[in-house]
Amino acid sequence: MKVSKLALWSALLIALGALTSCSQFALPAPASQITPATSAKPKKTFKDLVVGYAQIGAESDWRTGNTASVKQAAEKLGVELKFADGQQKQENQIAAIRSFIAMKVDVIGVPPVVETGWEIVFKEAKAAGIPIILVDRRANVPDDLYVTGVGSDFVEEGRNAARVMAKLMNGQANIVELVGTIDSAPANDRYKGFREILKDYPGMRIIDSQSGDFTRAKGKEVMAEFLRKHGKNITALFAHNDDMAIGAIKAIEEYGVKPGEDIKIVSIDSIRAAFEAMIAGKLNATVECNPLLGPDFFELALKVVNGEPVPKWVYSKESVFLPENAKDILPTRRY
Ligand code: AHR
């Protein structure tokens, strides 16, 4: 059989092409193109998260707003939330944290009822590899025992309360102060911030200061005591939260003087009831403290479990509300 030169060349070229392409597959890839066998873990999503939240209790409308925010955000994002109500007791919050550790949750969120006494249980969480995120309140622990925190600048809230009160009173007042829960971060910081500003107003005197534990009932009780002791000498009240102010308003009315007029009142939180009191002319200002921390908390939690960097504290943006526009703002308030 006669084979033409052309056919021979074609066969040779096809064979060479096949060889070349085979050898291309056989060649090892350059080191820069090799994907390591131990590739990075896939990132977790909200739906993978199991989060424990050791809430303080339900002492105020602020707290109820905070609980609702955490529960609603968990539901919206698909996070599995384990929620515990500490009923205002630190030992209950500690027990809740221990139960979350036993459940091996991914992250634990806690608003510490008081600043002290957390080191042992936070160390237990750390030893179990479970990050602690502080929500709303600080704890007095070394920095390595919590990963991050989210909430207000309570010192600044205290300063704002003093600024607005000094203006209301033209720098002259006999003030009584309803302090929040003893040893809590908001009580300590608001106490400090308020005094920082008052230093510049020698006519603004604090004549009495007692804890009303952030509740309406205690606020009323302590205000009644202040009135028994100091009578009409009192010209202003600074309450560390709106709930105590609302309790105090009742005591002031029962005593027979006018809240918002005879006794000017400034408080903190900006709950709906504070706007109603301002509309009724019984409260003179409310400094905002934002409880709607659920979305930020879960965002931090996800970043933490995925090993992403987070700031040590994320501050809420807040303002001060006065009676002038309380009517317009009330319908927009969510807590
Ligand atoms: O920690 C925030 C404070 O706690 C709020 O001002 C108060 O109302 C609440 O109980």
Side-chain angles (χ1 to χ4, degrees):
M1 193 176 65
K2 256 186 150 188
V3 182
S4 75
K5 266 190 185 169
L6 185 67
L8 268 173
W9 274 112
S10 312
L12 196 65
L13 280 173
I14 290 165
L16 266 174
L19 266 177
T20 325
S21 53
C22 282
S23 63
Q24 268 174 357
F25 284 116
L27 273 179
S32 62
Q33 286 174 17
I34 298 173
T35 314
T38 52
S39 62
K41 271 204 252 158
K43 295 242 179 225
K44 285 202 177 192
T45 69
F46 286 119
K47 291 190 172 57
D48 302 315
L49 289 191
V50 181
V51 175
Y53 195 69
Q55 180 59 288
I56 292 176
E59 75 281 9
S60 62
D61 283 8
W62 189 101
R63 188 66 49 203
T64 310
N66 178 251
T67 293
S69 168
V70 169
K71 287 185 175 173
Q72 282 161 13
E75 185 155 357
K76 189 168 165 209
L77 298 168
V79 172
E80 186 180 335
L81 177 68
K82 311 275 182 199
F83 183 89
D85 179 341
Q87 304 191 341
Q88 270 69 49
K89 291 198 173 77
Q90 184 178 31
E91 62 263 36
N92 292 346
Q93 284 191 292
I94 290 175
I97 293 171
R98 290 203 167 114
S99 77
F100 297 148
I101 296 172
M103 290 175 201
K104 299 189 191 330
V105 299
D106 296 302
V107 175
I108 296 172
V110 56
V113 62
V114 289
E115 285 201 57
T116 49
W118 298 99
E119 223 169 301
I120 294 173
V121 73
F122 282 13
K123 273 186 184 157
E124 288 168 18
K126 191 175 179 190
I130 301 175
I132 294 276
I133 297 184
L134 299 177
V135 184
D136 156 37
R137 298 186 183 181
R138 252 187 5 260
N140 195 356
V141 291
D143 271 9
D144 66 310
L145 292 186
Y146 69 99
V147 277
T148 180
V150 57
S152 306
D153 180 342
F154 298 134
V155 179
E156 187 58 16
E157 289 172 353
R159 291 188 195 114
N160 280 336
R163 287 180 186 119
V164 71
M165 184 169 274
K167 215 168 163 190
L168 266 170
M169 303 301 297
N170 287 323
Q172 298 293 325
N174 287 335
I175 307 162
V176 288
E177 179 185 31
L178 283 168
V179 177
T181 301
I182 292 168
D183 190 32
S184 70
N188 290 343
D189 291 358
R190 289 168 185 170
Y191 183 98
K192 187 173 151 216
F194 192 71
R195 281 158 180 77
E196 239 179 60
I197 299 298
L198 284 204
K199 274 203 312 253
D200 299 333
Y201 295 91
M204 304 274 293
R205 298 190 315 127
I206 300 170
I207 59 170
D208 216 333
S209 172
Q210 301 284 328
S211 172
D213 208 16
F214 283 132
T215 68
R216 288 186 194 199
K218 206 85 208 312
K220 182 177 180 216
E221 188 188 311
V222 179
M223 186 69 210
E225 237 173 83
F226 285 156
L227 286 160
R228 263 195 303 277
K229 253 165 91 181
H230 308 285
K232 293 192 176 163
N233 207 16
I234 303 169
T235 58
L237 162 67
F238 167 42
H240 284 200
N241 80 347
D242 292 336
D243 283 86
M244 291 189 293
I246 285 157
I249 286 171
K250 289 215 175 84
I252 295 167
E253 286 175 327
E254 284 171 17
Y255 188 77
V257 291
K258 284 195 173 143
E261 285 183 36
D262 302 321
I263 298 179
K264 300 268 197 265
I265 308 173
V266 175
S267 53
I268 297 180
D269 278 357
S270 306
I271 58 172
R272 290 179 61 84
F275 284 83
E276 283 155 8
M278 287 198 292
I279 293 165
K282 298 177 182 183
L283 180 71
N284 303 87
T286 176
V287 176
E288 190 178 27
C289 179
N290 182 16
L292 308 176
L293 304 173
D296 282 352
F297 164 55
F298 291 117
E299 195 139 312
L300 286 170
L302 187 63
K303 283 190 175 154
V304 167
V305 298
N306 282 328
E308 290 171 29
V310 286
K312 204 64 192 174
W313 196 272
V314 177
Y315 285 100
S316 314
K317 286 197 188 78
E318 292 162 345
S319 43
V320 177
F321 298 103
L322 300 168
E324 284 87 277
N325 40 16
K327 229 184 197 153
D328 297 334
I329 295 173
L330 175 61
T332 68
R333 301 303 292 169
R334 288 167 51 205
Y335 61 98

PDB file of all heavy atoms in Angstrom, residues 132-160:
ATOM      1  N   ILE A 132     -17.435  35.500  75.412  1.00  0.00           N
ATOM      2  CA  ILE A 132     -18.440  36.310  76.115  1.00  0.00           C
ATOM      3  C   ILE A 132     -18.528  37.661  75.411  1.00  0.00           C
ATOM      4  O   ILE A 132     -17.513  38.309  75.158  1.00  0.00           O
ATOM      5  CB  ILE A 132     -18.019  36.558  77.584  1.00  0.00           C
ATOM      6  CG1 ILE A 132     -17.987  35.263  78.396  1.00  0.00           C
ATOM      7  CG2 ILE A 132     -18.894  37.621  78.254  1.00  0.00           C
ATOM      8  CD1 ILE A 132     -19.294  34.807  78.987  1.00  0.00           C
ATOM      9  N   ILE A 133     -19.755  38.093  75.126  1.00  0.00           N
ATOM     10  CA  ILE A 133     -19.978  39.446  74.606  1.00  0.00           C
ATOM     11  C   ILE A 133     -20.797  40.207  75.649  1.00  0.00           C
ATOM     12  O   ILE A 133     -21.863  39.741  76.060  1.00  0.00           O
ATOM     13  CB  ILE A 133     -20.730  39.424  73.256  1.00  0.00           C
ATOM     14  CG1 ILE A 133     -19.890  38.701  72.201  1.00  0.00           C
ATOM     15  CG2 ILE A 133     -21.061  40.849  72.802  1.00  0.00           C
ATOM     16  CD1 ILE A 133     -20.494  38.689  70.796  1.00  0.00           C
ATOM     17  N   LEU A 134     -20.286  41.358  76.082  1.00  0.00           N
ATOM     18  CA  LEU A 134     -21.040  42.181  77.032  1.00  0.00           C
ATOM     19  C   LEU A 134     -22.058  42.996  76.244  1.00  0.00           C
ATOM     20  O   LEU A 134     -21.725  43.599  75.223  1.00  0.00           O
ATOM     21  CB  LEU A 134     -20.098  43.116  77.799  1.00  0.00           C
ATOM     22  CG  LEU A 134     -19.029  42.430  78.651  1.00  0.00           C
ATOM     23  CD1 LEU A 134     -18.116  43.461  79.311  1.00  0.00           C
ATOM     24  CD2 LEU A 134     -19.680  41.554  79.721  1.00  0.00           C
ATOM     25  N   VAL A 135     -23.294  42.983  76.725  1.00  0.00           N
ATOM     26  CA  VAL A 135     -24.340  43.756  76.057  1.00  0.00           C
ATOM     27  C   VAL A 135     -24.865  44.762  77.074  1.00  0.00           C
ATOM     28  O   VAL A 135     -25.153  44.382  78.215  1.00  0.00           O
ATOM     29  CB  VAL A 135     -25.490  42.834  75.571  1.00  0.00           C
ATOM     30  CG1 VAL A 135     -26.522  43.640  74.784  1.00  0.00           C
ATOM     31  CG2 VAL A 135     -24.948  41.705  74.717  1.00  0.00           C
ATOM     32  N   ASP A 136     -24.961  46.016  76.694  1.00  0.00           N
ATOM     33  CA  ASP A 136     -25.517  47.088  77.514  1.00  0.00           C
ATOM     34  C   ASP A 136     -24.582  47.518  78.645  1.00  0.00           C
ATOM     35  O   ASP A 136     -24.138  48.642  78.682  1.00  0.00           O
ATOM     36  CB  ASP A 136     -26.929  46.669  77.998  1.00  0.00           C
ATOM     37  CG  ASP A 136     -27.399  47.352  79.265  1.00  0.00           C
ATOM     38  OD1 ASP A 136     -27.106  48.539  79.433  1.00  0.00           O
ATOM     39  OD2 ASP A 136     -28.088  46.699  80.080  1.00  0.00           O
ATOM     40  N   ARG A 137     -24.243  46.619  79.581  1.00  0.00           N
ATOM     41  CA  ARG A 137     -23.453  47.026  80.751  1.00  0.00           C
ATOM     42  C   ARG A 137     -22.054  46.406  80.762  1.00  0.00           C
ATOM     43  O   ARG A 137     -21.895  45.252  80.379  1.00  0.00           O
ATOM     44  CB  ARG A 137     -24.178  46.611  82.031  1.00  0.00           C
ATOM     45  CG  ARG A 137     -25.523  47.280  82.185  1.00  0.00           C
ATOM     46  CD  ARG A 137     -26.135  46.947  83.525  1.00  0.00           C
ATOM     47  NE  ARG A 137     -27.461  47.532  83.636  1.00  0.00           N
ATOM     48  CZ  ARG A 137     -28.236  47.436  84.700  1.00  0.00           C
ATOM     49  NH1 ARG A 137     -27.816  46.764  85.760  1.00  0.00           N
ATOM     50  NH2 ARG A 137     -29.427  48.008  84.726  1.00  0.00           N
ATOM     51  N   ARG A 138     -21.129  47.167  81.292  1.00  0.00           N
ATOM     52  CA  ARG A 138     -19.756  46.712  81.477  1.00  0.00           C
ATOM     53  C   ARG A 138     -19.636  45.775  82.678  1.00  0.00           C
ATOM     54  O   ARG A 138     -20.448  45.829  83.586  1.00  0.00           O
ATOM     55  CB  ARG A 138     -18.899  47.927  81.808  1.00  0.00           C
ATOM     56  CG  ARG A 138     -17.962  48.422  80.775  1.00  0.00           C
ATOM     57  CD  ARG A 138     -17.070  49.523  81.318  1.00  0.00           C
ATOM     58  NE  ARG A 138     -17.193  49.818  82.728  1.00  0.00           N
ATOM     59  CZ  ARG A 138     -17.893  50.832  83.218  1.00  0.00           C
ATOM     60  NH1 ARG A 138     -18.552  51.634  82.406  1.00  0.00           N
ATOM     61  NH2 ARG A 138     -17.943  51.045  84.507  1.00  0.00           N
ATOM     62  N   ALA A 139     -18.576  44.954  82.672  1.00  0.00           N
ATOM     63  CA  ALA A 139     -18.223  44.178  83.870  1.00  0.00           C
ATOM     64  C   ALA A 139     -16.790  44.535  84.201  1.00  0.00           C
ATOM     65  O   ALA A 139     -15.986  44.781  83.299  1.00  0.00           O
ATOM     66  CB  ALA A 139     -18.338  42.692  83.595  1.00  0.00           C
ATOM     67  N   ASN A 140     -16.495  44.542  85.481  1.00  0.00           N
ATOM     68  CA  ASN A 140     -15.148  44.898  85.896  1.00  0.00           C
ATOM     69  C   ASN A 140     -14.260  43.642  85.871  1.00  0.00           C
ATOM     70  O   ASN A 140     -14.040  43.002  86.896  1.00  0.00           O
ATOM     71  CB  ASN A 140     -15.246  45.489  87.308  1.00  0.00           C
ATOM     72  CG  ASN A 140     -14.000  46.218  87.691  1.00  0.00           C
ATOM     73  OD1 ASN A 140     -13.030  46.221  86.922  1.00  0.00           O
ATOM     74  ND2 ASN A 140     -14.012  46.828  88.861  1.00  0.00           N
ATOM     75  N   VAL A 141     -13.791  43.276  84.679  1.00  0.00           N
ATOM     76  CA  VAL A 141     -12.956  42.070  84.509  1.00  0.00           C
ATOM     77  C   VAL A 141     -11.784  42.412  83.603  1.00  0.00           C
ATOM     78  O   VAL A 141     -11.876  43.376  82.831  1.00  0.00           O
ATOM     79  CB  VAL A 141     -13.758  40.905  83.857  1.00  0.00           C
ATOM     80  CG1 VAL A 141     -14.815  40.353  84.780  1.00  0.00           C
ATOM     81  CG2 VAL A 141     -14.368  41.320  82.520  1.00  0.00           C
ATOM     82  N   PRO A 142     -10.696  41.617  83.642  1.00  0.00           N
ATOM     83  CA  PRO A 142      -9.611  41.869  82.687  1.00  0.00           C
ATOM     84  C   PRO A 142     -10.121  41.738  81.245  1.00  0.00           C
ATOM     85  O   PRO A 142     -11.036  40.945  80.981  1.00  0.00           O
ATOM     86  CB  PRO A 142      -8.599  40.769  83.004  1.00  0.00           C
ATOM     87  CG  PRO A 142      -8.945  40.283  84.369  1.00  0.00           C
ATOM     88  CD  PRO A 142     -10.402  40.518  84.574  1.00  0.00           C
ATOM     89  N   ASP A 143      -9.498  42.505  80.356  1.00  0.00           N
ATOM     90  CA  ASP A 143      -9.947  42.581  78.957  1.00  0.00           C
ATOM     91  C   ASP A 143     -10.024  41.234  78.235  1.00  0.00           C
ATOM     92  O   ASP A 143     -10.818  41.061  77.328  1.00  0.00           O
ATOM     93  CB  ASP A 143      -8.986  43.488  78.166  1.00  0.00           C
ATOM     94  CG  ASP A 143      -9.451  44.933  78.223  1.00  0.00           C
ATOM     95  OD1 ASP A 143     -10.394  45.220  78.995  1.00  0.00           O
ATOM     96  OD2 ASP A 143      -8.859  45.758  77.511  1.00  0.00           O
ATOM     97  N   ASP A 144      -9.147  40.280  78.632  1.00  0.00           N
ATOM     98  CA  ASP A 144      -9.131  39.018  77.887  1.00  0.00           C
ATOM     99  C   ASP A 144     -10.308  38.103  78.251  1.00  0.00           C
ATOM    100  O   ASP A 144     -10.476  37.051  77.649  1.00  0.00           O
ATOM    101  CB  ASP A 144      -7.805  38.274  78.142  1.00  0.00           C
ATOM    102  CG  ASP A 144      -7.682  37.822  79.592  1.00  0.00           C
ATOM    103  OD1 ASP A 144      -7.889  38.658  80.490  1.00  0.00           O
ATOM    104  OD2 ASP A 144      -7.404  36.627  79.808  1.00  0.00           O
ATOM    105  N   LEU A 145     -11.144  38.513  79.191  1.00  0.00           N
ATOM    106  CA  LEU A 145     -12.265  37.641  79.588  1.00  0.00           C
ATOM    107  C   LEU A 145     -13.556  37.935  78.815  1.00  0.00           C
ATOM    108  O   LEU A 145     -14.554  37.261  79.008  1.00  0.00           O
ATOM    109  CB  LEU A 145     -12.518  37.727  81.092  1.00  0.00           C
ATOM    110  CG  LEU A 145     -11.406  37.128  81.971  1.00  0.00           C
ATOM    111  CD1 LEU A 145     -11.809  37.130  83.436  1.00  0.00           C
ATOM    112  CD2 LEU A 145     -11.042  35.708  81.522  1.00  0.00           C
ATOM    113  N   TYR A 146     -13.539  38.962  77.964  1.00  0.00           N
ATOM    114  CA  TYR A 146     -14.677  39.163  77.059  1.00  0.00           C
ATOM    115  C   TYR A 146     -14.115  39.634  75.722  1.00  0.00           C
ATOM    116  O   TYR A 146     -13.081  40.280  75.682  1.00  0.00           O
ATOM    117  CB  TYR A 146     -15.694  40.158  77.636  1.00  0.00           C
ATOM    118  CG  TYR A 146     -15.223  41.589  77.720  1.00  0.00           C
ATOM    119  CD1 TYR A 146     -15.578  42.517  76.741  1.00  0.00           C
ATOM    120  CD2 TYR A 146     -14.405  42.019  78.762  1.00  0.00           C
ATOM    121  CE1 TYR A 146     -15.136  43.833  76.805  1.00  0.00           C
ATOM    122  CE2 TYR A 146     -13.953  43.326  78.828  1.00  0.00           C
ATOM    123  CZ  TYR A 146     -14.321  44.225  77.843  1.00  0.00           C
ATOM    124  OH  TYR A 146     -13.879  45.524  77.897  1.00  0.00           O
ATOM    125  N   VAL A 147     -14.814  39.266  74.639  1.00  0.00           N
ATOM    126  CA  VAL A 147     -14.239  39.602  73.331  1.00  0.00           C
ATOM    127  C   VAL A 147     -14.615  41.000  72.870  1.00  0.00           C
ATOM    128  O   VAL A 147     -13.823  41.700  72.251  1.00  0.00           O
ATOM    129  CB  VAL A 147     -14.625  38.592  72.222  1.00  0.00           C
ATOM    130  CG1 VAL A 147     -13.736  37.393  72.254  1.00  0.00           C
ATOM    131  CG2 VAL A 147     -16.085  38.232  72.276  1.00  0.00           C
ATOM    132  N   THR A 148     -15.843  41.399  73.148  1.00  0.00           N
ATOM    133  CA  THR A 148     -16.303  42.702  72.701  1.00  0.00           C
ATOM    134  C   THR A 148     -17.548  43.085  73.514  1.00  0.00           C
ATOM    135  O   THR A 148     -18.036  42.293  74.328  1.00  0.00           O
ATOM    136  CB  THR A 148     -16.612  42.667  71.180  1.00  0.00           C
ATOM    137  OG1 THR A 148     -17.073  43.952  70.751  1.00  0.00           O
ATOM    138  CG2 THR A 148     -17.674  41.648  70.813  1.00  0.00           C
ATOM    139  N   GLY A 149     -18.036  44.300  73.282  1.00  0.00           N
ATOM    140  CA  GLY A 149     -19.238  44.753  73.986  1.00  0.00           C
ATOM    141  C   GLY A 149     -19.988  45.752  73.133  1.00  0.00           C
ATOM    142  O   GLY A 149     -19.426  46.368  72.227  1.00  0.00           O
ATOM    143  N   VAL A 150     -21.280  45.894  73.429  1.00  0.00           N
ATOM    144  CA  VAL A 150     -22.094  46.854  72.686  1.00  0.00           C
ATOM    145  C   VAL A 150     -23.042  47.544  73.659  1.00  0.00           C
ATOM    146  O   VAL A 150     -23.621  46.897  74.526  1.00  0.00           O
ATOM    147  CB  VAL A 150     -22.861  46.150  71.530  1.00  0.00           C
ATOM    148  CG1 VAL A 150     -23.747  45.016  72.001  1.00  0.00           C
ATOM    149  CG2 VAL A 150     -23.697  47.147  70.736  1.00  0.00           C
ATOM    150  N   GLY A 151     -23.157  48.863  73.545  1.00  0.00           N
ATOM    151  CA  GLY A 151     -24.063  49.591  74.443  1.00  0.00           C
ATOM    152  C   GLY A 151     -23.710  51.063  74.517  1.00  0.00           C
ATOM    153  O   GLY A 151     -22.935  51.579  73.702  1.00  0.00           O
ATOM    154  N   SER A 152     -24.274  51.712  75.536  1.00  0.00           N
ATOM    155  CA  SER A 152     -24.190  53.173  75.629  1.00  0.00           C
ATOM    156  C   SER A 152     -22.925  53.651  76.333  1.00  0.00           C
ATOM    157  O   SER A 152     -22.269  52.892  77.044  1.00  0.00           O
ATOM    158  CB  SER A 152     -25.377  53.677  76.442  1.00  0.00           C
ATOM    159  OG  SER A 152     -26.565  53.201  75.903  1.00  0.00           O
ATOM    160  N   ASP A 153     -22.670  54.943  76.180  1.00  0.00           N
ATOM    161  CA  ASP A 153     -21.662  55.624  76.984  1.00  0.00           C
ATOM    162  C   ASP A 153     -22.417  56.243  78.167  1.00  0.00           C
ATOM    163  O   ASP A 153     -22.965  57.341  78.071  1.00  0.00           O
ATOM    164  CB  ASP A 153     -20.974  56.699  76.133  1.00  0.00           C
ATOM    165  CG  ASP A 153     -19.897  57.451  76.903  1.00  0.00           C
ATOM    166  OD1 ASP A 153     -19.902  57.391  78.155  1.00  0.00           O
ATOM    167  OD2 ASP A 153     -19.076  58.113  76.255  1.00  0.00           O
ATOM    168  N   PHE A 154     -22.456  55.527  79.281  1.00  0.00           N
ATOM    169  CA  PHE A 154     -23.273  55.970  80.426  1.00  0.00           C
ATOM    170  C   PHE A 154     -22.732  57.247  81.071  1.00  0.00           C
ATOM    171  O   PHE A 154     -23.488  58.023  81.636  1.00  0.00           O
ATOM    172  CB  PHE A 154     -23.346  54.872  81.492  1.00  0.00           C
ATOM    173  CG  PHE A 154     -24.004  53.591  81.048  1.00  0.00           C
ATOM    174  CD1 PHE A 154     -23.426  52.354  81.329  1.00  0.00           C
ATOM    175  CD2 PHE A 154     -25.222  53.599  80.397  1.00  0.00           C
ATOM    176  CE1 PHE A 154     -24.037  51.169  80.955  1.00  0.00           C
ATOM    177  CE2 PHE A 154     -25.846  52.424  80.005  1.00  0.00           C
ATOM    178  CZ  PHE A 154     -25.239  51.200  80.281  1.00  0.00           C
ATOM    179  N   VAL A 155     -21.418  57.438  81.013  1.00  0.00           N
ATOM    180  CA  VAL A 155     -20.834  58.664  81.604  1.00  0.00           C
ATOM    181  C   VAL A 155     -21.367  59.875  80.833  1.00  0.00           C
ATOM    182  O   VAL A 155     -21.801  60.869  81.411  1.00  0.00           O
ATOM    183  CB  VAL A 155     -19.287  58.627  81.588  1.00  0.00           C
ATOM    184  CG1 VAL A 155     -18.714  59.910  82.169  1.00  0.00           C
ATOM    185  CG2 VAL A 155     -18.757  57.429  82.368  1.00  0.00           C
ATOM    186  N   GLU A 156     -21.363  59.739  79.510  1.00  0.00           N
ATOM    187  CA  GLU A 156     -21.842  60.844  78.672  1.00  0.00           C
ATOM    188  C   GLU A 156     -23.336  61.102  78.939  1.00  0.00           C
ATOM    189  O   GLU A 156     -23.783  62.257  78.927  1.00  0.00           O
ATOM    190  CB  GLU A 156     -21.581  60.524  77.197  1.00  0.00           C
ATOM    191  CG  GLU A 156     -21.875  61.643  76.213  1.00  0.00           C
ATOM    192  CD  GLU A 156     -21.099  62.941  76.457  1.00  0.00           C
ATOM    193  OE1 GLU A 156     -20.092  62.932  77.198  1.00  0.00           O
ATOM    194  OE2 GLU A 156     -21.517  63.980  75.911  1.00  0.00           O
ATOM    195  N   GLU A 157     -24.089  60.040  79.183  1.00  0.00           N
ATOM    196  CA  GLU A 157     -25.515  60.240  79.511  1.00  0.00           C
ATOM    197  C   GLU A 157     -25.655  61.076  80.792  1.00  0.00           C
ATOM    198  O   GLU A 157     -26.497  61.970  80.872  1.00  0.00           O
ATOM    199  CB  GLU A 157     -26.206  58.881  79.690  1.00  0.00           C
ATOM    200  CG  GLU A 157     -26.385  58.116  78.398  1.00  0.00           C
ATOM    201  CD  GLU A 157     -26.889  56.693  78.586  1.00  0.00           C
ATOM    202  OE1 GLU A 157     -26.989  56.228  79.756  1.00  0.00           O
ATOM    203  OE2 GLU A 157     -27.181  56.031  77.595  1.00  0.00           O
ATOM    204  N   GLY A 158     -24.834  60.774  81.785  1.00  0.00           N
ATOM    205  CA  GLY A 158     -24.862  61.541  83.034  1.00  0.00           C
ATOM    206  C   GLY A 158     -24.491  62.994  82.787  1.00  0.00           C
ATOM    207  O   GLY A 158     -25.100  63.918  83.333  1.00  0.00           O
ATOM    208  N   ARG A 159     -23.471  63.194  81.920  1.00  0.00           N
ATOM    209  CA  ARG A 159     -23.054  64.577  81.597  1.00  0.00           C
ATOM    210  C   ARG A 159     -24.198  65.307  80.905  1.00  0.00           C
ATOM    211  O   ARG A 159     -24.504  66.457  81.234  1.00  0.00           O
ATOM    212  CB  ARG A 159     -21.854  64.559  80.636  1.00  0.00           C
ATOM    213  CG  ARG A 159     -20.565  64.060  81.244  1.00  0.00           C
ATOM    214  CD  ARG A 159     -19.440  64.286  80.236  1.00  0.00           C
ATOM    215  NE  ARG A 159     -18.260  63.525  80.588  1.00  0.00           N
ATOM    216  CZ  ARG A 159     -17.758  62.517  79.870  1.00  0.00           C
ATOM    217  NH1 ARG A 159     -18.315  62.158  78.736  1.00  0.00           N
ATOM    218  NH2 ARG A 159     -16.684  61.872  80.281  1.00  0.00           N
ATOM    219  N   ASN A 160     -24.845  64.632  79.949  1.00  0.00           N
ATOM    220  CA  ASN A 160     -25.946  65.269  79.219  1.00  0.00           C
ATOM    221  C   ASN A 160     -27.098  65.641  80.149  1.00  0.00           C
ATOM    222  O   ASN A 160     -27.724  66.698  79.997  1.00  0.00           O
ATOM    223  CB  ASN A 160     -26.459  64.352  78.107  1.00  0.00           C
ATOM    224  CG  ASN A 160     -25.564  64.428  76.888  1.00  0.00           C
ATOM    225  OD1 ASN A 160     -24.867  65.430  76.686  1.00  0.00           O
ATOM    226  ND2 ASN A 160     -25.549  63.388  76.086  1.00  0.00           N
TER     227      ASN A 160
END
